Amino acid sequence: MIVILFRILILIAIAFLIYTWIEYTRNPERQLKIAKQSNHFYMVDEANNSKKNLKLVYKRCVFEGEKYIGVVDDSFEVVDIDISIRDPFDLKGFTREDLYFLENEILIRYPHAKIKWKHPINEILITKME
């Protein structure tokens, strides 16, 4: 009887370890960190949840975007996204073309959105256009 109970507890422990490992590998913050280290583009976003900010990594820069809802053609959609950067020193070597790439990736998911870049990102758009 005790042996059977012990085997059941071992099976429960193994199932719990497998579940914990799967959750660890699927963690969005971990995926974001890996993308930053490997210099890849990655976006974390819950498109159905407008209250949850989007996060993205591109060229080792981590950006955060606040989504705002508005009315578009008789429906509520994300109409404004304010994007800021976590660490402005990561922007070294960033170009306007990189910002356009990010805007295109965001507009694929939110076609009605107007993207506003916060300081210091907006400075590259102002100075290069003049």
Side-chain angles (χ1 to χ4, degrees), residues 32-111:
L32 210 61
K33 185 177 176 183
I34 290 172
K36 182 177 181 181
Q37 291 172 349
S38 61
N39 202 16
H40 289 114
F41 172 77
Y42 185 73
M43 179 183 281
V44 176
D45 182 31
E46 290 183 26
N48 298 333
N49 188 354
S50 62
K51 295 179 182 177
K52 195 124 186 188
N53 292 346
L54 64 92
K55 296 176 187 173
L56 49 104
V57 172
Y58 184 63
K59 289 192 173 183
R60 299 184 193 255
C61 296
V62 180
F63 298 91
E64 242 182 276
E66 286 186 54
K67 300 184 278 188
Y68 297 98
I69 297 291
V71 178
V72 177
D73 298 330
D74 297 333
S75 67
F76 291 101
E77 299 286 336
V78 174
V79 294
D80 286 320
I81 300 176
D82 292 347
I83 300 178
S84 60
I85 187 160
R86 283 190 186 167
D87 187 9
F89 293 111
D90 289 342
L91 285 174
K92 185 175 181 180
F94 224 73
T95 63
R96 208 163 31 144
E97 286 75 28
D98 297 329
L99 295 177
Y100 292 149
F101 171 78
L102 292 175
E103 282 183 357
N104 287 332
E105 289 295 323
I106 294 169
L107 289 173
I108 289 170
R109 292 159 180 87
Y110 300 103

Side-chain angles (χ1 to χ4, degrees), residues 9-25:
L9 288 175
I10 288 177
L11 286 175
I12 291 172
I14 290 172
F16 179 72
L17 286 174
I18 291 171
Y19 172 77
T20 304
W21 180 74
I22 290 171
E23 287 299 312
Y24 172 75
T25 56

Side-chain angles (χ1 to χ4, degrees), residues 1-9:
M1 182 69 171
I2 294 176
V3 174
I4 294 173
L5 183 62
F6 184 68
R7 287 181 181 173
I8 291 172
L9 288 175

